[in-house]
Amino acid sequence: MQAIILAAGMGKRLKELTKNNTKCMVKVNGVTLIDRMLHQIERHHLSRIVIVVGYEGQKLIDYINTLDIQTPIVYINNPIYDKTNNIYSLSLAKDWLCKDDTILFESDLIFEDSVLDAIVFDPRGTLALVDRYESWMDGTCVKLGDDDTIEAFVPGKKFKFNEIKEYYKTVNIYKFSRHFSKTHYVPFLEAYQSALGQNEYYEQVLRVITMLDEPEIKAKRLSGQRWYEIDDIQDLDIAESIFTPDEDERVKLLQGRYGGYWRYPKLLDFCYLVNSYFPPAKMKDELRANFDTLLTEYPSGMKVNSLLAAKNFGVHQENIIVGNGAAELIKSLMGYIDGKVGFIRPTFDEYPNRYDRENSVDYIPDNEDYSYTADDIIAYFNEKDIQNIILVNPDNPSGNYIPKKDLLRLIYWSRTKGIHIVIDESFVDFADEPDNTLINQAILSDNPHLFVMKSISKSYGVPGLRLGVLASGDEKTISKMKKDVSIWNINSFGEFYMQIEEKYKKDYTDSLLKFREERTRFQKELSKIKGVRVIPSQANFVMVELEKGISPKELLKCLLIKYDLLIKELTTKTNGRNYLRLAVRDKKDNDVLIAAMKAELGSADE
C-alpha cells in the first residue's frame, strides 16, 4: 500500500501565511501540517509516498528532505497549479494509482492517529472516510445507506441546509484498491477530464462512479476521532486549540474563546449559563420564517427598542434601556458611578472589573457556602464610607438568593443612607419565589437610586441574540446611557425577538417549571458523587465544593480532555478553595456530566 498526497495548491485564503509557503507548510502548534502527516503515514510502513507539488514546490521538497522520513518519496510536479484544480494534480499520479493500493490525502488536513488507523485497518478495499456533518464543515458531503453505500455525493452547489441531518462530510482521505483505480477511477478520471477540463475536483469523478450498479466504493464512518481541514486563519486558530499536545494549554485556549463552541460540536458547555427549556420550537420557527427580512433590513433605533422593552416589562419607555447583552449596559453604567462601591464577593466579575479597586469595598461572607442575607449586607456596609452597592441576586457563582421582601428592605435602607444600589436579577426567574422581579414601575418610581439589570440571554435561552435591559427611576442617567451606546446597538433578530416575546409568556413560565424540577434532580444526583458537596442554588447553575484531595483544575482538565465537557473552576474567585460552578442544562446533558464525574470520582455510596 502507498500514499498519495495532493500538495500543489496555493492556499490563498491563508493570506500572508502562504505568501511564500505552501499550505501544508503552515504550522499548527509549532509543527507543519506536512511534517505531522508524513510521520503519521510512516507509522504504517507503506511502500512509498507520492507527493504532487506545484506552488513553491521546490521549497516544499527541500523542506521534506530535512524531515528524516524513511519511506521512499516520489515527487510529481504540477506546472500549471494556478490554472487547474486538484483533478489535474491527481491525474498526474494516475499511473501510480494503478500500481498499488493507495491512501489518498489532501495536504491541508490535521488529524489524530486514530483517523488514519480507521481507514488503513478496515478490511474493505475502497473507502471514503466520512464524518457526521457539523456546522463548521465546508465542501463535499455524501448521503449514505445503512450498509455504508454512498447513495449520493453532494457538492457545494447542491447542498441543501434542510437536509443536513442526512449528510456526512468527506474527510478528504480515501482508500483506493489497485483494482478500483484500474477498472473504475482512472478510466472515469480520464473521461471526465476530457469532457469537462482540468479545473474540476477529483471527487466529481467519485460522484459519477457512485451512480454505477457496482461502484465498489463504500463509506467509512468516523466515530468521534478528531480532524480538521485548514482553509483560513480561523481554521488554524481552532485547530491549534484542538490539537495542542499540552493539555493545560488546550484548556487555556478553549476557556479563552468565551463562547463560539458550536465550532466544537462534540463539546458540552457547562460553563456558560442559559435556559435549556426556552425558546419553544414554535418561536424558533417564527424567527426562521422571518429570517430573510431580518437579515436584509436595518433594525430600529434605540427609541423603538426601548418602547419594545417597556412593553415587555411593564414600565415606562423613559425608565428602561436595551443593550447588546447586559455586558454593554454594565460597561456604560459603571462609567456613571462615582465614589466607593460595595461588592459582595465572590460575584460576577464584570462589575468589579469595570471599577477602580482602590474605590472598591468587598464583603466576603464568612461561611463555606458564601451565603448571606439582606441583614448581613446592611450590617457590614452600615458604617462603611460607600456611595454605591452592587448586588447580583441570585449571586454568581454561589446561587445565593435574597427574597423580594428583604430586597425591598435593603433598597429602603440604601435610600436612607444616600447609597445608589444596582441589583442584577439576571438569574431571578429561576428562583422558586413567584413574582420576584424588581422591574416594576412603582418600585422604580419610588426608588430613583435603584438600577435593575437583567440579562435576557441567560433567562430566556437566547445568548446568540445578545440582549439585556437596565431599568431605573433615574431617567436622567438612563437618558445619558441611551446616548452613550450606539443607536443601533442591537440587531434585527434581537428586535424581532422582543416584538414577539409576549406571545410566548406561557411557554416561558412552563420552561421555568421544567427547569426548577431538573435543578432539584441535578443537585440530588450531584450529591451522590464521592467528594462533592452541593451548595443549594436558586439560579441556573450549582456551586459545589470538592474534598481537599480533589483539584478543581485537574478535574476540569480531565473532563475536557476525556469527555469533551467544559466546566468552570473557581479557585481564583474563592482564594484557592476547591469550588466548581456547574450550569444546569437539560436532563440528557446533565446525566452525561454526572456519569463522567462519577467515573472519575466514584459514587458516594461506594
Side-chain angles (χ1 to χ4, degrees), residues 281-555:
K282 186 175 181 181
M283 188 183 206
K284 289 186 278 189
D285 287 342
E286 186 168 359
L287 283 162
R288 289 190 194 99
N290 290 274
F291 179 88
D292 290 351
T293 299
L294 299 175
L295 182 67
T296 57
E297 296 285 348
Y298 263 94
S300 301
M302 174 61 72
K303 181 178 180 181
V304 171
N305 287 322
S306 295
L307 185 63
L308 284 173
K311 177 193 72 167
N312 287 342
F313 289 96
V315 297
H316 298 159
Q317 182 179 355
E318 296 77 20
N319 296 113
I320 196 164
I321 177 175
V322 182
N324 182 19
E328 180 187 39
L329 300 177
I330 292 170
K331 180 182 178 182
S332 177
L333 177 63
M334 297 305 284
Y336 290 100
I337 288 180
D338 292 319
K340 291 189 176 181
V341 178
F343 294 101
I344 297 94
R345 296 284 197 131
T347 193
F348 181 46
D349 285 336
E350 191 69 17
Y351 289 100
N353 286 349
R354 292 287 180 186
Y355 209 68
D356 185 359
R357 287 296 299 149
E358 292 183 359
N359 286 317
S360 301
V361 180
D362 293 341
Y363 164 53
I364 302 175
D366 187 20
N367 60 75
E368 293 182 339
D369 291 356
Y370 290 100
S371 61
Y372 54 88
T373 65
D375 290 331
D376 292 330
I377 296 173
I378 293 170
Y380 184 82
F381 288 111
N382 195 48
E383 301 302 324
K384 298 290 189 297
D385 178 24
I386 61 169
Q387 289 73 51
N388 310 274
I389 286 179
I390 294 178
L391 168 67
V392 179
N393 188 59
D395 211 341
N396 177 7
S398 67
N400 183 78
Y401 177 68
I402 298 176
K404 184 175 181 179
K405 63 181 178 61
D406 294 330
L407 280 182
L408 292 174
R409 283 196 300 110
L410 181 63
I411 292 167
Y412 174 77
W413 167 82
S414 64
R415 186 174 67 197
T416 63
K417 298 285 289 186
I419 295 171
H420 289 90
I421 185 166
V422 179
I423 298 180
D424 188 319
E425 60 171 50
S426 293
F427 307 106
V428 79
D429 293 355
F430 299 109
D432 293 331
E433 181 183 18
D435 188 29
N436 53 8
T437 182
L438 296 172
I439 303 181
N440 172 284
Q441 189 59 52
I443 294 174
L444 298 177
S445 297
D446 289 344
N447 298 281
H449 68 299
L450 169 67
F451 293 83
V452 185
M453 188 78 70
K454 189 180 191 71
S455 167
I456 293 175
S457 300
K458 295 178 176 65
S459 296
Y460 292 83
V462 288
L465 294 182
R466 302 301 305 132
L467 287 172
V469 295
L470 176 69
S472 177
D474 184 349
E475 295 179 8
K476 184 177 180 181
T477 299
I478 292 292
S479 177
K480 288 179 180 177
M481 289 178 63
K482 287 179 179 178
K483 296 174 182 176
D484 184 39
V485 301
S486 168
I487 186 174
W488 290 294
N489 66 329
I490 69 169
N491 60 42
S492 296
F493 294 95
E495 178 185 348
F496 186 73
Y497 172 86
M498 291 197 299
Q499 180 180 318
I500 66 175
E501 184 268 334
E502 275 196 311
K503 294 191 294 184
Y504 298 94
K505 288 287 189 186
K506 184 178 184 304
D507 297 277
Y508 183 58
T509 300
D510 291 344
S511 79
L512 296 175
L513 293 174
K514 292 177 184 176
F515 171 83
R516 293 174 191 134
E517 181 180 348
E518 175 56 21
R519 179 178 60 201
T520 299
R521 189 196 73 87
F522 185 50
Q523 292 181 121
K524 182 178 179 181
E525 292 301 315
L526 285 171
S527 68
K528 296 177 182 178
I529 300 172
K530 189 175 182 179
V532 172
R533 183 178 72 87
V534 177
I535 297 165
S537 172
Q538 287 285 289
N540 60 340
F541 51 84
V542 178
M543 187 166 77
V544 302
E545 184 180 17
L546 304 177
E547 287 184 353
K548 288 185 178 180
I550 305 172
S551 166
K553 290 184 177 180
E554 289 302 312
L555 181 59

Side-chain angles (χ1 to χ4, degrees), residues 200-331:
E200 295 285 335
Y201 295 96
Y202 68 83
E203 286 181 313
Q204 291 293 87
V205 180
L206 292 172
R207 182 185 180 199
V208 174
I209 291 173
T210 56
M211 297 177 185
L212 301 175
D213 290 337
E214 296 183 10
E216 284 198 19
I217 189 169
K218 296 273 191 175
K220 173 65 178 180
R221 308 178 204 224
L222 290 177
S223 55
Q225 299 93 328
R226 293 178 297 154
W227 67 279
Y228 220 85
E229 182 178 8
I230 299 176
D231 287 322
D232 55 36
I233 56 174
Q234 184 183 21
D235 291 334
L236 180 60
D237 175 62
I238 292 171
E240 289 193 330
S241 66
I242 294 175
F243 289 96
T244 176
D246 185 327
E247 293 180 352
D248 292 321
E249 182 66 12
R250 185 180 175 206
V251 171
K252 179 182 176 182
L253 288 171
L254 279 169
Q255 288 178 318
R257 303 188 75 84
Y258 299 103
Y261 294 123
W262 69 80
R263 301 282 301 208
Y264 304 81
K266 296 176 179 62
L267 183 71
L268 270 182
D269 176 13
F270 282 87
C271 185
Y272 292 93
L273 311 170
V274 294
N275 181 350
S276 294
Y277 296 95
F278 195 84
K282 186 175 181 181
M283 188 183 206
K284 289 186 278 189
D285 287 342
E286 186 168 359
L287 283 162
R288 289 190 194 99
N290 290 274
F291 179 88
D292 290 351
T293 299
L294 299 175
L295 182 67
T296 57
E297 296 285 348
Y298 263 94
S300 301
M302 174 61 72
K303 181 178 180 181
V304 171
N305 287 322
S306 295
L307 185 63
L308 284 173
K311 177 193 72 167
N312 287 342
F313 289 96
V315 297
H316 298 159
Q317 182 179 355
E318 296 77 20
N319 296 113
I320 196 164
I321 177 175
V322 182
N324 182 19
E328 180 187 39
L329 300 177
I330 292 170
K331 180 182 178 182

Side-chain angles (χ1 to χ4, degrees), residues 71-138:
T71 307
I73 298 178
V74 176
Y75 295 101
I76 299 174
N77 184 49
N78 177 355
I80 51 173
Y81 60 84
D82 56 339
K83 300 180 180 66
T84 59
N85 220 313
N86 60 21
I87 193 171
Y88 182 70
S89 289
L90 187 54
S91 72
L92 295 174
K94 64 184 179 182
D95 291 341
W96 289 104
L97 279 173
C98 295
K99 289 181 180 180
D100 203 348
D101 297 338
T102 299
I103 305 293
L104 175 63
F105 301 85
E106 293 188 23
S107 64
D108 57 359
L109 295 171
I110 184 170
F111 48 85
E112 58 187 4
D113 292 345
S114 59
V115 170
L116 184 52
D117 294 344
I119 196 166
V120 170
F121 295 133
D122 191 298
R124 292 173 292 180
T126 302
L127 294 167
L129 196 62
V130 301
D131 201 0
R132 178 70 72 175
Y133 176 81
E134 301 288 355
S135 60
W136 62 267
M137 298 174 182
D138 192 20

